[in-house]
Amino acid sequence: METKNASKSSWAAAFAVASVWFGTHVGGGFATGNQVIQYFSQYGWTAAIFPIIAMGILAMVIYVVMSFAKLSGFDNYKDTFEALYPNPKMEILFEIFYIVIILAAVASAVAGAGEVMANFIGIEYVGTAKLLCNVAIVAVLVLLSVFGIKLVMAASTVLSVAILAITACVIFSGLTADMDSVVSQYLTANNLEPVAYTDDLFGSIWSGVIVYAAFQCVSIAPMIAASSQLTMKGIKRSAILGCIMNGGALAASGYMLSKWYPVLKALQGAGISGFTNALGIPNQTILNIVGVRAILVLFSLLLFCAFVSTCVTLVYTMVQRFQGICLPNVIKSEKARSAVVGFIVILICFALSLLGLSNIIKYAYGYDGYFAIFAVVIPVLIWGIPKVRKLKGIQKNSQYEVNSGNLVAEN
């Protein structure tokens, strides 16, 4: 029994659970660099520090929720938040946050995949081109949702590992590039000056620390399920490892992109051919400039597949969540209800995708992050921490009574 409990509290078991958080976080938004630019790199030096603080805050929130779920015997977010909030009906707050962030994630994945396609074939991702690229992605999405969901889910883990590895190569390429040569070739040749960083310390704290940590609470739901078999020690270790893994990767990407931001922003602002959307997928733009063709091709392919995989997986999640309540008395067939829900979700996400990746990440993620501050983060800290302490006290007293009873029996 002790050996079994030891395995559930080991660093290896904790690492497996922390990897769920890492896989949820380090998706297409991170891999493109767009999300990192908007929330961290545009502010300069803070991009190497604030990601670690943001992930520290998120680690605390996730740790409290995982601990509460474990001590209460729950393995899903619905039961957990119904018990955590002072009124069970308040669980709808987390539902709203979670649904909005999933819809935004699918929409950003459609827009991101369309932009990757446009950049790779060398056309501007605007107007008709944007519409056609996004329609093409939706067509692929519908086909895979109908015929290839098992294949996509089976490949999602491999894709996550591959996109992480190739993103590490992008970060290394960006950090080791000869910036003097780049500035001479692009800025000097076009009589441009590097753009200054956004000088707003309060804004960088609000956006890069508080709001970013809040909308990344999307990781809570899968972490509750993943940690259900861990002991309390294992849960603490998973939160620590998750903070290190996510904070470290985010800080490295933030630092690299902060180095490139003044150049890319100048080229985009001047409307230089090939750079009118330089910050749409900055990691792809950097690879184009550096000229690492093999990495560029592989990165574009993997990023495209990761976006499509995200779309299919999240649409499937929404279908599973809502098909049971989609007019069950009118539409008797489960497959028909699933098709209706899937069509509605894809239609909404396609419409949102036309806003473009940058706008979705800035506004949809941002405003849902504002909502999450008051609907998720603050409630977890106000009500979750005291309830976890109370449950730990009850558990400790129960163990003491059991141990005392055993001693009496032995005597």
Side-chain angles (χ1 to χ4, degrees):
M1 184 68 176
E2 290 182 2
T3 302
K4 186 176 181 180
N5 285 335
S7 67
K8 291 180 179 180
S9 63
S10 67
W11 284 105
F15 177 79
V17 173
S19 296
V20 173
W21 173 9
F22 192 67
T24 305
H25 176 207
V26 187
F30 172 89
T32 61
N34 188 305
Q35 189 170 285
V36 182
I37 286 271
Q38 291 206 44
Y39 288 92
F40 299 103
S41 299
Q42 65 166 308
Y43 298 104
W45 63 271
T46 60
I49 301 172
F50 285 1
I52 298 172
I53 300 174
M55 291 300 98
I57 293 171
L58 182 58
M60 170 60 75
V61 172
I62 289 177
Y63 170 70
V64 172
V65 177
M66 287 193 301
S67 298
F68 179 74
K70 178 67 179 180
L71 292 167
S72 303
F74 301 135
D75 61 1
N76 63 84
Y77 74 83
K78 185 173 179 61
D79 290 339
T80 300
F81 278 95
E82 282 183 348
L84 188 145
Y85 289 117
N87 187 317
K89 293 181 179 179
M90 289 177 67
E91 189 271 335
I92 191 66
L93 297 175
F94 187 85
E95 291 278 8
I96 293 170
F97 158 73
Y98 196 55
I99 291 168
V100 170
I101 206 71
I102 287 180
L103 290 175
V106 176
S108 67
V110 171
E115 194 165 337
V116 169
M117 178 190 296
N119 290 347
F120 190 72
I121 62 180
I123 61 175
E124 295 291 343
Y125 184 67
V126 293
T128 303
K130 176 192 286 190
L131 180 63
L132 292 176
C133 286
N134 287 13
V135 168
I137 300 306
V138 167
V140 173
L141 175 59
V142 171
L143 287 173
L144 287 175
S145 296
V146 175
F147 301 108
I149 182 63
K150 292 183 179 179
L151 173 63
V152 170
M153 287 185 160
S156 60
T157 301
V158 176
L159 278 173
S160 296
V161 173
I163 197 67
L164 175 61
I166 201 68
T167 301
C169 292
V170 174
I171 293 172
F172 178 79
S173 299
L175 288 173
T176 57
D178 184 355
M179 288 300 294
D180 291 336
S181 175
V182 172
V183 169
S184 176
Q185 182 179 353
Y186 291 96
L187 295 189
T188 305
N190 290 283
N191 196 28
L192 299 173
E193 292 291 333
V195 171
Y197 294 109
T198 302
D199 184 17
D200 184 2
L201 183 58
F202 174 78
S204 67
I205 295 172
W206 171 252
S207 176
V209 176
I210 300 172
V211 175
Y212 192 88
F215 76 71
Q216 286 298 336
C217 284
V218 66
S219 300
I220 287 176
M223 286 295 281
I224 291 173
S227 65
S228 62
Q229 297 302 312
L230 292 180
T231 62
M232 291 300 294
K233 180 187 284 188
I235 285 174
K236 180 181 289 186
R237 287 178 170 179
S238 70
I240 293 170
L241 287 174
C243 179
I244 294 171
M245 292 162 64
N246 287 281
L250 195 57
S253 180
Y255 174 69
M256 185 276 288
L257 286 167
S258 69
K259 177 182 175 182
W260 282 86
Y261 175 79
V263 175
L264 297 183
K265 185 67 175 177
L267 292 169
Q268 177 176 291
I272 304 301
S273 178
F275 295 98
T276 54
N277 200 27
L279 295 177
I281 304 183
N283 283 342
Q284 193 177 34
T285 306
I286 290 168
L287 289 177
N288 260 318
I289 292 175
V290 174
V292 190
R293 185 66 184 173
I295 296 179
L296 173 61
V297 172
L298 188 57
F299 174 77
S300 300
L301 177 62
L302 286 173
L303 188 57
F304 180 85
C305 291
F307 273 133
V308 171
S309 172
T310 297
C311 285
V312 174
T313 304
L314 292 182
V315 168
Y316 179 76
T317 299
M318 294 293 282
V319 169
Q320 293 297 102
R321 175 69 181 82
F322 290 105
Q323 66 85 14
I325 59 175
C326 178
L327 303 175
N329 296 326
V330 178
I331 307 174
K332 301 297 183 180
S333 169
E334 182 178 320
K335 289 185 177 180
R337 291 198 304 271
S338 297
V340 170
V341 173
F343 175 77
I344 293 172
V345 170
I346 291 173
L347 188 63
I348 293 172
C349 293
F350 171 72
L352 289 173
S353 75
L354 297 178
L355 296 173
L357 180 62
S358 295
N359 286 328
I360 294 169
I361 289 176
K362 182 178 181 180
Y363 296 110
Y365 284 18
Y367 287 126
D368 204 31
Y370 300 161
F371 178 75
I373 293 170
F374 301 100
V376 183
V377 176
I378 292 177
V380 167
L381 299 179
I382 290 178
W383 294 304
I385 292 177
K387 287 187 176 183
V388 167
R389 286 175 179 168
K390 182 179 180 180
L391 289 170
K392 282 183 177 180
I394 293 172
Q395 185 184 67
K396 187 176 181 179
N397 290 334
S398 298
Q399 289 175 345
Y400 176 77
E401 290 174 3
V402 170
N403 291 334
S404 297
N406 289 338
L407 286 174
V408 171
E410 288 175 4
N411 292 331

